[in-house]
Amino acid sequence: MVPGFLSLSLSRLGLWASGLVLVLGFFKLIHLLLRKQKLARAMDSFPGPPTHWLFGHTLEIQQTGSLDKVVSWAHQYPCAHPLWFGPFIGFLNIYEPDFAKAVYSRGDPKASDVYDFFLQWIGKGLLVLEGPKWFQHRKLLTPGFHYDVLKPYVSVFAESTRIMLDKWEEKAREDKCFDIFCDVGQMALDTLMKCTFGKGDSGLGHRDSSYYLAVSNLTLLMQQRLESFQYHNDFIYWLTPHGRRFLRACQVAHDHTDQVIRERKAALQDEKEREKIQNRRHLDFLDILLGARDEDGIKLSDMDLRSEVDTFMFEGHDTTTSGISWFLYCMALYPEHQQRCREEALEILGDRDAFQWDDLGKMTYLTMCIKESFRLYPPVPQVYRQLSKPVTFVDGRSLPAGSLISLHIYALHRNSAVWPDPEVFDPLRFSPENVSRRHPFAFMPFSAGPRNCIGQQFAMNEMKVVTALCLLRFEFSLDPSRLPIKIPQLILRSKNGIHLHLKPLGPGSGK
Ligand code: HEM
Ligand SMILES: *[C@@H]1O[C@H](CO)[C@@H](O)[C@H](O)[C@H]1NC(C)=O
Ligand SMILES: *[C@@H]1O[C@H](CO)[C@@H](O)[C@H](O)[C@H]1NC(C)=O
């Protein structure tokens, strides 16, 4: 039994606690309202679509077809318009090359209202860092994308792709359409684990497969969270079943990364092992990260190492998965371009049976098609910034420091002032002559400026090797009963998967 005086003080404690929560909640609300007012006033000179007092534009944005809704807004409000995520957070949404240049040629920090959701998993890695620390990490990591490092990955890409294509060979025998997105995702993660952790030809072990599951879970859960208003508050989210699953998966991912780092460090201590690593065919990202030193000989801390590895895993697999899947969809949609890419690949290969580094530069038609597919289906459709200083746009309108910016890459790539007949798939837009005549900020699948994608060369190489090998093995065509439905979920996805029909080309035409 609880003594009387204790229960009295307990109930009084409860009263105090709820009072405190109320007061804190009140101050939080005042803070949010003041911020809202500031954001709204800053965007006064930018007219935009009507907003709901509570939901802002989220109702329109959560619907399917939201991407094309924004394209129609972009048509109605040239250059920029306000975009409200709920009642308090308003971005200036931009989709015009000069507007993009004004912001993205500078290195302003990421908008924490969006990117803080990633912190629990990927920590303070390159994607979310800012200021001098970002600069230091960027410099330390850049050697990891030197072409000497990237060269041997050509055969890693080919190996992972072969596993996927063999699986597809089985599925294609049933002569039914199937969703390629999942298989491409597994292939991309498999590749990235090999390039990051240096998993050799021995394949992935048991521990790796639980890591693999955790990463897939994390990406899925994070997408769900971003879409669900009620999950945005950390405290509330961690209490829900989804939030707890998220934390569990985070734990698995972190444990795996820590253990790989520990083992590799131990191996480096060992003289013999070190020699083995140095004589290995190639270095992986982890070798580069462990060896990175700045001018003062300072290396990355264990926490930094983990954040960078996790950032690579997050940034590096979903993006390429989206890119490859939508590219194959485009090929299915336009058989004449598909055939030209295939012929080019056959010609480059000649009587060899594997692509080499030098071949990648010769895939000119394929590269133009990849870029055109990036234009129409950008794997990262939207990126966000918070201005660290005021900006003035070409038309004289300006925004103060602290304003939030959303670059709508999807709408920029379909801006008819820049791209005539934007809906038409035309790889020749990316002929050298046509590219040189266009605004450098008209095409930004990898963003641009100092905070652009550090992995873009890696990604382009992977795209080329994987898609060329796919086109050599199969003919891709549409499943007219299940056309993909575009939805932005961090990356560009299809609500119903990407269902294609695959016809094996047989041993004569493919390799
Ligand atoms: C088709 C594939 C890819 C696309 C479309 C893509 C796109 C992008 C974009 C748009 C950004 C800017 C993000 C922002 O401003 O918030 C970015 C940043 C980044 N990407 Fe990629 N990416 C791809 C593949 C990769 C790969 C394969 C890696 C690593 C292996 C990678 C690593 C990164 C990192 C670390 C950043 C942050 C860079 C910084 O802020 O300094 N990406 N990427
Ligand atoms: C990931 O999800 C699968 C199925 O939903 C589940 O079986 C598995 O335990 C999850 N793994 C982690 C690490 O959360
Ligand atoms: C430039 O693009 C236009 C329209 O896409 C195309 O008709 C033309 O052939 C291209 N020019 C070159 C030199 O490729």
Side-chain angles (χ1 to χ4, degrees):
M1 259 204 34
V2 185
F5 68 92
L6 196 61
S7 75
L8 193 70
S9 68
L10 269 182
S11 67
R12 196 177 288 167
L13 203 68
L15 218 62
W16 273 103
S18 30
L20 193 68
V21 167
L22 253 145
V23 170
L24 285 180
F26 180 72
F27 278 115
K28 175 91 186 165
L29 189 68
I30 297 285
H31 173 81
L32 285 171
L33 283 171
L34 285 176
R35 182 164 181 235
K36 172 205 174 110
Q37 204 179 32
K38 210 172 131 201
L39 289 172
R41 196 170 304 144
M43 292 192 284
D44 254 356
S45 54
F46 295 93
T51 76
H52 185 279
W53 68 274
L54 179 61
F55 298 114
H57 297 108
T58 40
L59 293 180
E60 285 101 325
I61 283 172
Q62 276 173 352
Q63 273 167 19
T64 50
S66 68
L67 285 164
D68 292 306
K69 179 94 202 166
V70 176
V71 172
S72 77
W73 283 340
H75 211 72
Q76 212 175 337
Y77 309 97
C79 302
H81 70 75
L83 184 65
W84 287 89
F85 289 4
F88 305 119
I89 306 173
F91 289 81
L92 185 71
N93 191 41
I94 60 175
Y95 30 75
E96 197 276 332
D98 276 317
F99 273 60
K101 185 177 172 196
V103 178
Y104 284 77
S105 59
R106 325 191 307 190
D108 297 72
K110 305 290 170 75
S112 57
D113 297 281
V114 177
Y115 292 81
D116 276 0
F117 293 147
F118 306 161
L119 287 182
Q120 187 70 28
W121 174 21
I122 64 173
K124 292 240 166 190
L126 209 51
L127 183 70
V128 288
L129 277 173
E130 54 180 282
K133 188 139 186 224
W134 165 77
F135 189 74
Q136 183 211 14
H137 278 217
R138 179 94 185 189
K139 238 167 87 185
L140 288 176
L141 299 194
T142 298
F145 295 93
H146 189 274
Y147 80 90
D148 273 340
V149 178
L150 297 183
K151 246 176 165 173
Y153 292 162
V154 172
S155 56
V156 179
F157 298 149
E159 186 192 299
S160 300
T161 310
R162 185 150 356 98
I163 299 172
M164 176 179 78
L165 294 177
D166 288 345
K167 188 158 44 169
W168 282 359
E169 196 93 43
E170 292 288 316
K171 289 192 187 177
R173 234 177 253 147
E174 290 171 27
D175 202 34
K176 275 203 294 261
C177 298
F178 59 89
D179 174 26
I180 62 161
F181 203 94
C182 283
D183 293 333
V184 173
Q186 287 203 8
M187 185 277 302
L189 195 51
D190 181 53
T191 300
L192 201 60
M193 283 183 71
K194 285 176 181 152
C195 297
T196 311
F197 304 130
K199 293 290 164 186
D201 309 321
S202 53
L204 305 179
H206 169 70
R207 208 181 67 207
D208 302 313
S209 62
S210 61
Y211 176 72
Y212 176 88
L213 267 180
V215 170
S216 333
N217 282 357
L218 284 169
T219 11
L220 201 84
L221 289 167
M222 214 146 69
Q223 276 145 23
Q224 272 178 3
R225 182 175 181 196
L226 210 64
E227 285 180 358
S228 319
F229 224 62
Q230 66 278 19
Y231 284 173
H232 283 192
N233 180 283
D234 267 347
F235 185 71
I236 295 175
Y237 184 59
W238 304 141
L239 290 176
T240 66
H242 281 144
R244 285 204 302 275
R245 245 179 79 201
F246 185 89
L247 289 178
R248 263 203 312 277
C250 262
Q251 191 65 45
V252 173
H254 290 164
D255 286 349
H256 177 271
T257 308
D258 286 343
Q259 191 166 352
V260 177
I261 292 174
R262 243 191 338 266
E263 284 169 3
R264 186 68 61 85
K265 275 189 161 171
L268 284 171
Q269 297 289 322
D270 186 341
E271 197 66 41
K272 261 210 220 110
E273 278 293 319
R274 193 161 62 216
E275 245 169 60
K276 226 162 72 192
I277 291 175
Q278 274 156 2
N279 292 336
R280 230 183 12 218
R281 256 179 329 135
H282 59 85
L283 298 173
D284 52 54
F285 280 132
L286 197 52
D287 295 321
I288 307 274
L289 291 174
L290 285 169
R293 302 278 185 284
D294 67 8
E295 299 91 26
D296 307 322
I298 310 272
K299 44 183 183 170
L300 296 169
S301 72
D302 281 3
M303 198 58 187
D304 287 344
L305 278 172
R306 182 171 97 187
S307 303
E308 291 305 351
V309 168
D310 290 339
T311 297
F312 274 25
M313 296 308 294
F314 166 60
E315 263 294 314
H317 94 277
D318 247 10
T319 46
T320 44
T321 302
S322 168
I324 292 164
S325 303
W326 286 103
F327 172 84
L328 291 175
Y329 168 70
C330 286
M331 291 295 98
L333 206 51
Y334 307 105
E336 65 283 13
H337 297 302
Q338 180 179 163
Q339 189 51 26
R340 260 194 86 174
C341 290
R342 185 174 294 119
E343 280 160 14
E344 182 185 72
L346 275 170
E347 196 172 313
I348 291 170
L349 209 48
D351 46 16
R352 285 176 294 139
D353 61 1
F355 286 115
Q356 291 163 355
W357 175 261
D358 294 332
D359 294 331
L360 302 189
K362 298 179 197 152
M363 300 175 169
T364 49
Y365 199 76
L366 179 69
T367 306
M368 290 197 294
C369 287
I370 291 175
K371 289 184 177 167
E372 180 66 344
S373 128
F374 276 167
R375 181 182 72 80
L376 283 165
Y377 303 94
V380 180
Q382 216 170 347
V383 289
Y384 311 89
R385 294 293 162 86
Q386 177 154 24
L387 296 184
S388 58
K389 48 184 199 270
V391 66
T392 301
F393 295 107
V394 280
D395 62 1
R397 288 184 286 181
S398 64
L399 282 180
S403 302
L404 301 171
I405 300 282
S406 139
L407 171 65
H408 208 282
I409 298 176
Y410 182 91
L412 171 71
H413 287 177
R414 290 172 188 244
N415 182 339
S416 56
V418 188
W419 305 96
D421 303 320
E423 305 294 328
V424 176
F425 185 92
D426 177 8
L428 283 181
R429 297 179 200 266
F430 291 96
S431 70
E433 296 88 337
N434 279 341
V435 169
S436 67
R437 261 178 288 178
R438 207 163 31 233
H439 195 299
F441 285 74
F443 180 62
M444 299 176 63
F446 296 105
S447 186
R451 293 304 297 260
N452 68 354
C453 176
I454 198 175
Q456 68 182 76
Q457 203 55 52
F458 178 100
M460 280 308 289
N461 294 347
E462 180 177 346
M463 290 284 302
K464 288 185 204 174
V465 173
V466 175
T467 57
L469 288 172
C470 287
L471 294 178
L472 289 177
R473 277 274 279 271
F474 296 99
E475 194 177 289
F476 294 84
S477 51
L478 292 181
D479 175 358
S481 69
R482 264 186 297 195
L483 296 176
I485 301 168
K486 289 169 290 196
I487 40 165
Q489 287 185 336
L490 306 178
I491 56 149
L492 184 67
R493 275 172 196 274
S494 163
K495 197 175 170 185
N496 53 346
I498 295 189
H499 290 264
L500 297 180
H501 185 267
L502 275 62
K503 187 175 135 211
L505 286 168
S509 45
K511 306 257 170 178

